[in-house]
Amino acid sequence: MIKVVLIGSGNVAQHLIQVLLQAKNVDLVQAFARNPSHLSHLLPDDKITSDYQKFTEADLYIISVSDNAIAEVAAQLPFENRLVVHTSGSSELSVLNDKNRKGVFYPLQTFTKGKEIDFAPIPICLEAENEADYQLLGKLGNCISQKVVRINSEQRKSLHVAAVFVCNFVNHLYEIGNEICEENNVPFEVLHPLIQETAHKITELSPREAQTGPALRNDTKTIEKHLDFLENPEDKNLYLLLTQSIQHVKKL
């Protein structure tokens, strides 16, 4: 059994707690939260602590907090020479304190509280200072996912930037599309099949091969109509910026 202590109570932390509780060969022995009530719906009180001096001994300590807090939390851990990892996509291995062995356990997915998620297809991106620790992280990763990959800090940073483009920015565009629908009394659900097909296509084609639309066709009349239709200056500017970006890529 791999004994794990989870440090944190946010979106990623709560999803990890749930999957680790269900995983075979994993014993989630403790969770740390500054406010234990944030985890009381997931764990009994005797498995939650808010006291740095009351950490249970474990094979692995997973810090799952905001990027800005990782270094502070790692520095306050009251032990040495144990394996401590973070779950951040954009933070280097070096952000962890030198008094403990360092690693990264990064599940590449978007997490929202209350939204159940299947960990099996989620890539678990791993990094460690030595091979023995990497093997332990690999065993844990394989307990919850079917895809475990070795990714260094620079590669993970590039993945995280790419993820912001394909997830966070795309979701923001969904929000703009939803607002346009609401303002014109059109149900956003009408766009769901289009959204699903767009996402499905890039599992079979490259994004460049999958690109369609008036910008790619240089359909200037349609583009002008769309720009005239948009009343919000920010939406208008964003439409024009994305149109120009698509046309620039087409020329490459």
Side-chain angles (χ1 to χ4, degrees):
M1 296 288 283
I2 303 173
K3 293 184 177 181
V4 178
V5 170
L6 196 291
I7 302 169
S9 60
N11 288 339
V12 178
Q14 292 199 20
H15 280 88
L16 280 173
I17 287 172
Q18 292 177 73
V19 73
L20 291 174
L21 287 172
Q22 298 170 2
K24 294 181 179 179
N25 302 318
V26 177
D27 183 8
L28 182 64
V29 293
Q30 189 182 53
F32 175 95
R34 287 179 298 178
N35 188 339
S37 66
H38 291 170
L39 299 180
S40 59
H41 63 294
L42 297 174
L43 293 165
D45 291 344
D46 61 354
K47 278 201 169 188
I48 308 171
T49 185
S50 59
D51 186 344
Y52 278 98
Q53 302 305 316
K54 294 184 178 180
F55 273 108
T56 299
E57 187 170 348
D59 301 307
L60 171 66
Y61 297 79
I62 301 177
I63 298 176
S64 186
V65 298
S66 67
D67 290 3
N68 291 341
I70 294 173
E72 178 186 351
V73 170
Q76 292 187 71
L77 297 178
F79 45 74
E80 297 180 358
N81 197 32
R82 299 186 190 178
L83 179 55
V84 176
V85 305
H86 67 67
T87 60
S88 168
S90 61
S91 299
E92 295 84 359
L93 193 68
S94 59
V95 73
L96 294 168
N97 194 281
D98 290 337
K99 65 185 176 182
N100 284 296
R101 308 191 317 272
K102 305 174 186 178
V104 177
F105 191 87
Y106 169 49
L108 180 50
Q109 186 53 280
T110 174
F111 296 95
T112 302
K113 285 182 181 178
K115 172 68 170 62
E116 291 187 11
I117 197 161
D118 180 10
F119 266 79
I122 295 177
I124 306 295
C125 303
L126 305 180
E127 184 178 5
E129 291 181 303
N130 64 67
E131 190 60 26
D133 287 340
Y134 177 83
Q135 293 300 323
L136 177 62
L137 292 178
K139 288 180 181 178
L140 179 63
N142 286 319
C143 288
I144 64 174
S145 172
Q146 298 170 355
K147 189 171 182 63
V148 174
V149 290
R150 188 190 294 258
I151 299 288
N152 64 37
S153 289
E154 195 63 26
Q155 291 172 320
R156 189 173 61 258
K157 188 185 299 182
S158 70
L159 268 177
H160 196 258
V161 172
V164 168
F165 273 95
V166 304
C167 175
N168 306 136
F169 289 168
V170 169
N171 190 74
H172 179 62
L173 296 179
Y174 291 159
E175 175 61 20
I176 293 173
N178 183 62
E179 289 176 356
I180 292 171
C181 286
E182 287 183 346
E183 290 168 0
N184 292 275
N185 298 313
V186 178
F188 183 67
E189 290 76 13
V190 174
L191 292 173
H192 285 181
L194 175 64
I195 293 170
Q196 292 165 357
E197 174 59 17
T198 303
H200 177 71
K201 265 199 304 187
I202 60 167
T203 65
E204 300 178 358
L205 303 171
S206 71
R208 180 174 292 194
E209 291 172 325
Q211 186 68 57
T212 61
L216 185 73
R217 299 191 302 269
N218 196 29
D219 186 348
T220 55
K221 289 185 178 180
T222 298
I223 293 170
E224 289 174 3
K225 288 179 181 178
H226 288 175
L227 289 170
D228 288 340
F229 173 84
L230 292 168
E231 297 179 356
N232 185 316
E234 291 183 358
D235 292 350
K236 191 186 295 282
N237 289 337
L238 185 56
Y239 182 102
L240 186 58
L241 180 65
L242 291 173
T243 295
Q244 293 171 341
S245 181
I246 291 171
Q247 291 176 337
H248 174 72
V249 169
K250 179 184 176 183
K251 295 176 182 177
L252 297 179

Short mmCIF file of all heavy atoms in Angstrom, two decimals, residues 8 29 32 34 41 44 46-47 67 107 134 145 183 205 207 224 228-229:
data_model
loop_
_atom_site.label_atom_id
_atom_site.label_comp_id
_atom_site.label_asym_id
_atom_site.label_seq_id
_atom_site.Cartn_x
_atom_site.Cartn_y
_atom_site.Cartn_z
N GLY A 8 -4.09 20.34 1.07
CA GLY A 8 -4.87 21.27 0.29
C GLY A 8 -6.36 20.92 0.34
O GLY A 8 -6.74 19.82 0.73
N VAL A 29 -3.85 8.40 4.18
CA VAL A 29 -3.82 8.33 5.64
C VAL A 29 -4.22 9.64 6.30
O VAL A 29 -4.63 9.66 7.46
CB VAL A 29 -2.41 7.90 6.13
CG1 VAL A 29 -2.11 6.47 5.71
CG2 VAL A 29 -1.34 8.86 5.63
N PHE A 32 -4.50 17.58 4.91
CA PHE A 32 -4.26 18.81 5.63
C PHE A 32 -5.05 19.94 4.98
O PHE A 32 -5.03 20.10 3.75
CB PHE A 32 -2.76 19.16 5.61
CG PHE A 32 -2.43 20.48 6.24
CD1 PHE A 32 -2.03 20.57 7.56
CD2 PHE A 32 -2.51 21.66 5.49
CE1 PHE A 32 -1.72 21.79 8.14
CE2 PHE A 32 -2.21 22.88 6.07
CZ PHE A 32 -1.81 22.95 7.39
N ARG A 34 -6.20 24.21 5.93
CA ARG A 34 -6.23 25.31 6.91
C ARG A 34 -7.61 25.41 7.55
O ARG A 34 -7.73 25.74 8.73
CB ARG A 34 -5.86 26.63 6.22
CG ARG A 34 -4.39 26.74 5.88
CD ARG A 34 -4.07 28.05 5.19
NE ARG A 34 -4.78 28.18 3.91
CZ ARG A 34 -4.70 29.24 3.12
NH1 ARG A 34 -3.96 30.28 3.48
NH2 ARG A 34 -5.36 29.27 1.98
N HIS A 41 -16.83 16.79 4.29
CA HIS A 41 -17.78 15.98 3.52
C HIS A 41 -17.10 14.82 2.82
O HIS A 41 -17.77 13.93 2.29
CB HIS A 41 -18.51 16.85 2.49
CG HIS A 41 -17.63 17.45 1.45
ND1 HIS A 41 -16.66 18.39 1.73
CD2 HIS A 41 -17.55 17.23 0.10
CE1 HIS A 41 -16.04 18.74 0.63
NE2 HIS A 41 -16.55 18.04 -0.38
N PRO A 44 -13.43 11.60 7.47
CA PRO A 44 -13.76 11.75 8.89
C PRO A 44 -12.80 12.73 9.55
O PRO A 44 -11.68 12.95 9.09
CB PRO A 44 -13.58 10.33 9.44
CG PRO A 44 -12.65 9.66 8.48
CD PRO A 44 -12.95 10.24 7.13
N ASP A 46 -10.95 12.60 12.11
CA ASP A 46 -9.66 12.13 12.59
C ASP A 46 -8.63 11.96 11.47
O ASP A 46 -7.46 11.68 11.72
CB ASP A 46 -9.81 10.81 13.36
CG ASP A 46 -10.38 9.69 12.52
OD1 ASP A 46 -10.78 9.94 11.35
OD2 ASP A 46 -10.45 8.55 13.01
N LYS A 47 -9.05 12.13 10.22
CA LYS A 47 -8.12 12.05 9.10
C LYS A 47 -7.77 13.43 8.54
O LYS A 47 -7.04 13.54 7.55
CB LYS A 47 -8.69 11.18 7.97
CG LYS A 47 -8.49 9.68 8.19
CD LYS A 47 -8.59 8.94 6.88
CE LYS A 47 -8.13 7.50 7.05
NZ LYS A 47 -8.04 6.80 5.75
N ASP A 67 -0.56 27.96 -6.84
CA ASP A 67 0.86 28.06 -7.18
C ASP A 67 1.60 29.00 -6.26
O ASP A 67 2.75 28.74 -5.87
CB ASP A 67 1.02 28.51 -8.63
CG ASP A 67 0.60 27.45 -9.63
OD1 ASP A 67 0.13 26.37 -9.18
OD2 ASP A 67 0.74 27.67 -10.85
N PRO A 107 -1.92 16.15 -12.66
CA PRO A 107 -3.00 15.62 -13.50
C PRO A 107 -3.45 16.69 -14.50
O PRO A 107 -3.93 17.75 -14.09
CB PRO A 107 -4.11 15.29 -12.49
CG PRO A 107 -3.85 16.20 -11.32
CD PRO A 107 -2.38 16.55 -11.33
N TYR A 134 10.68 8.47 -8.69
CA TYR A 134 9.86 8.48 -9.91
C TYR A 134 9.06 7.18 -10.01
O TYR A 134 7.87 7.19 -10.38
CB TYR A 134 10.71 8.65 -11.16
CG TYR A 134 9.89 8.59 -12.42
CD1 TYR A 134 9.22 9.73 -12.89
CD2 TYR A 134 9.71 7.39 -13.12
CE1 TYR A 134 8.41 9.68 -14.01
CE2 TYR A 134 8.90 7.34 -14.24
CZ TYR A 134 8.25 8.48 -14.69
OH TYR A 134 7.44 8.40 -15.79
N SER A 145 -4.88 6.21 -13.05
CA SER A 145 -4.96 6.61 -14.45
C SER A 145 -4.37 5.56 -15.37
O SER A 145 -3.52 4.76 -14.95
CB SER A 145 -4.21 7.94 -14.66
OG SER A 145 -4.10 8.27 -16.03
N GLU A 183 -28.79 37.05 -25.56
CA GLU A 183 -29.23 38.38 -25.97
C GLU A 183 -30.20 38.34 -27.16
O GLU A 183 -30.97 39.27 -27.37
CB GLU A 183 -28.02 39.24 -26.31
CG GLU A 183 -27.17 39.63 -25.10
CD GLU A 183 -25.84 40.24 -25.49
OE1 GLU A 183 -25.58 40.35 -26.72
OE2 GLU A 183 -25.06 40.58 -24.59
N LEU A 205 -7.86 14.58 -36.64
CA LEU A 205 -7.17 15.50 -37.54
C LEU A 205 -6.31 16.46 -36.73
O LEU A 205 -6.55 16.67 -35.55
CB LEU A 205 -8.18 16.32 -38.36
CG LEU A 205 -9.20 15.56 -39.22
CD1 LEU A 205 -10.24 16.53 -39.78
CD2 LEU A 205 -8.50 14.81 -40.35
N PRO A 207 -5.29 20.25 -35.65
CA PRO A 207 -6.12 21.45 -35.58
C PRO A 207 -6.12 22.26 -36.88
O PRO A 207 -7.14 22.82 -37.26
CB PRO A 207 -5.50 22.24 -34.43
CG PRO A 207 -4.90 21.19 -33.55
CD PRO A 207 -4.39 20.15 -34.49
N GLU A 224 -17.47 40.97 -42.43
CA GLU A 224 -17.98 42.33 -42.23
C GLU A 224 -19.36 42.33 -41.59
O GLU A 224 -19.66 43.15 -40.72
CB GLU A 224 -18.02 43.07 -43.57
CG GLU A 224 -16.64 43.42 -44.11
CD GLU A 224 -16.70 44.03 -45.51
OE1 GLU A 224 -17.83 44.21 -46.02
OE2 GLU A 224 -15.63 44.31 -46.08
N ASP A 228 -20.26 43.98 -37.98
CA ASP A 228 -21.36 44.95 -37.87
C ASP A 228 -22.38 44.51 -36.83
O ASP A 228 -22.98 45.34 -36.12
CB ASP A 228 -22.05 45.14 -39.23
CG ASP A 228 -21.20 45.92 -40.22
OD1 ASP A 228 -20.27 46.62 -39.77
OD2 ASP A 228 -21.45 45.80 -41.43
N PHE A 229 -22.59 43.18 -36.72
CA PHE A 229 -23.57 42.64 -35.79
C PHE A 229 -23.13 42.82 -34.34
O PHE A 229 -23.94 43.10 -33.46
CB PHE A 229 -23.81 41.16 -36.09
CG PHE A 229 -24.68 40.46 -35.09
CD1 PHE A 229 -26.07 40.52 -35.20
CD2 PHE A 229 -24.14 39.75 -34.03
CE1 PHE A 229 -26.88 39.89 -34.28
CE2 PHE A 229 -24.95 39.11 -33.10
CZ PHE A 229 -26.33 39.18 -33.23
#
